[in-house]
Amino acid sequence: MKKLFRVLALALVVALGAANANAERVEMPVEKMPAQVQTFLNDYYPGAQVAKSWAKMMRPTTEPMWYRVNLDNGTKLWFDLTGNWYQVDAKKSSVPASIDLLPNIARKTITDKYPGETIKSIKFKKDQYKVRLSDGMKLKFDKSYGQVVKK
């Protein structure tokens, strides 16, 4: 049974590696990305300059897998196929306070329990928001209610 599991695991790793080998990063201006990407940038990063932007394309099709935008202030943004954000990483600055990406209770928890700290990154994955604060604290909030699930 263990041997079968190992063989299946190895086959999965090989299959994923082969799929990734067919992916290609292609430079793409923001204007050619979904409207949601452009709206996000206009709403939360008005006046910011795009340093680089691209799409990860699956070959042989020309269908994008995801989009990435790097701003001149060092902020990195990831968007899914339809233009919905799933990661904002502002290591050199902070995620703008005006961004309402987190549930209200999660923002209130950060404001109340970590006064003076700024959000450095937010990542949405499956049913959780992962947040890193300026003091290095990492928090996870559930999608439904914004409650802390792990520190």
Side-chain angles (χ1 to χ4, degrees):
M1 186 67 171
K2 281 185 179 180
K3 194 171 191 174
L4 176 62
F5 179 73
R6 286 182 184 163
V7 168
L8 289 175
L10 180 61
L12 180 63
V13 168
V14 169
L16 290 175
N20 205 21
N22 289 333
E24 180 181 354
R25 192 167 96 169
V26 176
E27 286 193 41
M28 178 180 286
V30 171
E31 296 77 31
K32 290 191 175 188
M33 292 181 180
Q36 285 181 273
V37 173
Q38 298 169 44
T39 300
F40 185 94
L41 292 170
N42 290 333
D43 288 351
Y44 299 120
Y45 293 94
Q49 297 297 311
V50 173
K52 194 168 189 175
S53 57
W54 65 88
K56 187 80 165 197
M57 308 292 255
M58 181 58 82
R59 297 290 180 214
T61 70
T62 57
E63 193 68 29
M65 295 167 53
W66 50 261
Y67 302 96
R68 170 128 171 228
V69 177
N70 289 359
L71 302 178
D72 60 353
N73 68 0
T75 299
K76 299 173 184 174
L77 308 160
W78 286 264
F79 301 90
D80 68 14
L81 173 65
T82 60
N84 297 309
W85 77 276
Y86 67 87
Q87 186 170 351
V88 177
D89 191 355
K91 288 181 182 169
K92 296 179 182 176
S93 58
S94 294
V95 173
S98 63
I99 287 186
D100 54 358
L101 302 178
L102 293 171
N104 289 335
I105 194 163
R107 285 187 286 155
K108 183 171 176 17
T109 298
I110 291 169
T111 303
D112 293 349
K113 293 188 177 184
Y114 305 97
E117 298 300 329
T118 57
I119 297 173
K120 299 302 255 178
S121 69
I122 302 172
K123 184 174 186 177
F124 179 69
K125 192 171 184 180
K126 290 188 181 180
D127 60 347
Q128 292 184 344
Y129 294 92
K130 295 180 180 182
V131 177
R132 187 176 45 79
L133 302 178
S134 53
D135 67 355
M137 175 66 74
K138 294 178 183 177
L139 304 168
K140 288 184 185 178
F141 297 93
D142 71 1
K143 175 184 174 185
S144 303
Y145 303 105
Q147 300 290 334
V148 175
V149 291
K150 187 177 180 183
K151 290 184 185 178

